[in-house]
Amino acid sequence: MASAFLTNCWYVAAWPEDITRTPLRRVFLDQPVVLFRLQDGTAVALADSCPHRFVPLSRGQLVGDEIECCYHGLRFDAAGACTLNPHGDGTIPRTAKVRAYDLVERHGMVWIWMGDAAADPARIPEIAIPNFPALGERDKYGAVAGVLHIAANFQLITDNLLDLSHAQYLHPGLRVANAQRMRHEMRHEGNEIFSDFWRDNGEPNGLMRLLGWPVGVNGDSRANMHWYPPSLLVLDVGATGVGRPVHEGVIAPSLHMLTPETEKSTHYFFAFLRLVGLEDAALQEKVRALGMQAFAMEDKPVIEAQQAQLGDTEIMSLGPTLLSPDAAGVRARRVLQSLLAAEAKAAS
Ligand code: FES
Ligand SMILES: [Fe+2]
């Protein structure tokens, strides 16, 4: 499998609440990172490897705004500079430093820049969802958010998300009943891809019913995915009266942010958003249960089995059967390939 990570771009590293005064280790793009907060709340990311004996710094502890290695006590500041050598005459060895990664908190998430080029915060996508408040304003919507670990390459998950025709088969709780034949439209604007699915004049799924759609009433259901390279997906899911404009109906968008851990594993950050029943703890739990059933119990095992079956073989090299909804996933791979080629060219 070719190493295929775009590095000069932003990935989601964590939900803000994941990063605390206890060092947290996460591997991104095959690089171990330790995340923690300074006393003033600023989030910090350092290479999670002590330059002395290469023990993870995340096994150590914070001392004020510095992290102290658990093994022989070297200390490092937020910039990755060694500030204390408790051995010999205390001289700081020239090699005693670790890489610091750029972090930015935006849209209610913490983003990390893993590449060697200068980090540019302007390149964090402006995530906009039709008929929905700005993402950073969490109190305006009920978010069920979390992160799943998936033992599969991020592009297999991207394929899954760009081809939501699978929901009808793999996710009983998200099935639309008695709808007309699914319609699918793929389009792209620059490097962004839209993969839109409609099931018209059928009974909307269990999520729509949880959010107020009346039982036994038909509507037009949609699941419109918007992909930003390399692996950020925004899903506008909803149902509206047959033939009626979408803003009249139920809306339940969700975010799917894939950060590669290794070639064969991915941090899958997700959030299901809603505008109704924000104070309703029972509803919150039902939305969480429905989402977890679909993602953790239904998608995850299938994608992991697919990865296990493929092993080191890249899926497109096998000449897979392609169905009409695959157009978006195929296009996304092409966009990614061209961005990777451009990044490699710029680096050489
Ligand atoms: S391994 Fe970190 S101080 Fe020795
Ligand atoms: Fe799914």
Side-chain angles (χ1 to χ4, degrees):
M1 190 182 291
S3 180
F5 301 137
L6 207 62
T7 62
N8 292 320
C9 61
W10 294 96
Y11 288 98
V12 174
W15 293 106
E17 58 270 28
D18 299 343
I19 306 180
T20 66
R21 292 284 292 162
T22 302
L24 171 69
R25 175 184 171 88
R26 277 190 180 152
V27 173
F28 305 121
L29 283 51
D30 282 324
Q31 301 175 52
V33 172
V34 56
L35 301 158
F36 58 89
R37 286 191 191 274
L38 303 181
Q39 294 167 103
D40 71 359
T42 306
V44 171
L46 300 177
D48 191 23
S49 183
C50 179
H52 177 221
R53 300 280 90 192
F54 305 102
V55 163
L57 290 173
S58 55
R59 299 186 76 91
Q61 59 171 350
L62 297 183
V63 180
D65 284 341
E66 295 168 1
I67 187 163
E68 180 182 275
C69 181
C70 71
Y71 207 6
H72 311 97
L74 288 181
R75 283 191 198 165
F76 300 88
D77 67 14
C82 181
T83 54
L84 176 75
N85 171 10
H87 305 280
D89 66 2
T91 303
I92 307 289
R94 197 178 39 83
T95 54
K97 53 180 183 263
V98 293
R99 176 168 176 190
Y101 296 88
D102 285 279
L103 289 181
V104 171
E105 298 203 36
R106 190 173 296 169
H107 304 317
M109 299 152 225
V110 184
W111 303 77
I112 191 165
W113 181 275
M114 299 297 292
D116 292 327
D120 177 5
R123 287 176 54 187
I124 296 175
E126 279 311 316
I127 302 172
I129 303 174
N131 305 309
F132 211 77
L135 284 177
E137 303 165 55
R138 278 199 176 189
D139 52 335
K140 289 196 184 163
Y141 53 79
V144 171
V147 57
L148 283 176
H149 184 267
I150 311 276
N153 182 273
F154 75 100
Q155 288 199 76
L156 295 180
I157 309 172
T158 302
D159 292 340
N160 167 284
L161 292 165
L162 283 174
D163 176 9
L164 293 177
S165 69
H166 78 265
Q168 198 71 359
Y169 305 92
L170 190 58
H171 304 313
L174 299 178
R175 207 170 270 164
V176 178
N178 305 317
Q180 293 167 8
R181 194 172 179 87
M182 181 191 77
R183 291 187 289 129
H184 178 234
E185 181 188 297
M186 189 272 288
R187 65 185 197 284
H188 61 108
E189 291 173 13
N191 283 330
E192 296 170 18
I193 293 172
F194 298 81
S195 182
D196 295 350
F197 293 85
W198 292 272
R199 290 186 186 272
D200 298 329
N201 197 8
E203 188 171 355
N205 68 26
L207 178 60
M208 296 298 109
R209 288 199 295 277
L210 276 183
L211 300 184
W213 191 272
V215 176
V217 174
N218 275 13
D220 293 342
S221 297
R222 70 180 183 284
N224 295 349
M225 193 67 88
H226 181 175
W227 177 84
Y228 303 75
S231 50
L232 168 65
L233 298 106
V234 179
L235 175 61
D236 169 27
V237 153
T240 192
V242 176
R244 300 299 306 168
V246 298
H247 72 262
E248 291 180 359
V250 174
I251 174 168
S254 54
L255 306 174
H256 308 260
M257 299 163 295
L258 310 175
T259 305
E261 179 184 54
T262 68
E263 286 284 349
K264 292 184 193 169
S265 59
T266 303
H267 304 283
Y268 181 166
F269 295 92
F270 62 86
F272 308 103
L273 314 175
R274 67 178 194 274
L275 295 172
V276 298
L278 301 189
E279 307 298 324
D280 185 340
L283 177 62
Q284 176 83 351
E285 249 343 279
K286 284 180 190 159
V287 171
R288 179 182 298 280
L290 191 71
M292 286 299 98
Q293 173 64 31
F295 289 175
M297 310 300 283
E298 293 163 358
D299 284 313
K300 176 179 154 77
V302 166
I303 297 169
E304 291 182 341
Q306 179 190 22
Q307 177 70 74
Q309 182 104 302
L310 288 166
D312 290 333
T313 307
E314 205 279 322
I315 189 168
M316 298 310 282
S317 72
L318 294 173
T321 300
L322 293 175
L323 307 177
S324 58
D326 288 314
V330 170
R331 171 80 66 170
R333 280 166 192 271
R334 246 185 250 148
V335 170
L336 210 46
Q337 285 309 319
S338 70
L339 292 173
L340 280 162
E343 188 171 284
K345 194 172 167 207
S348 67

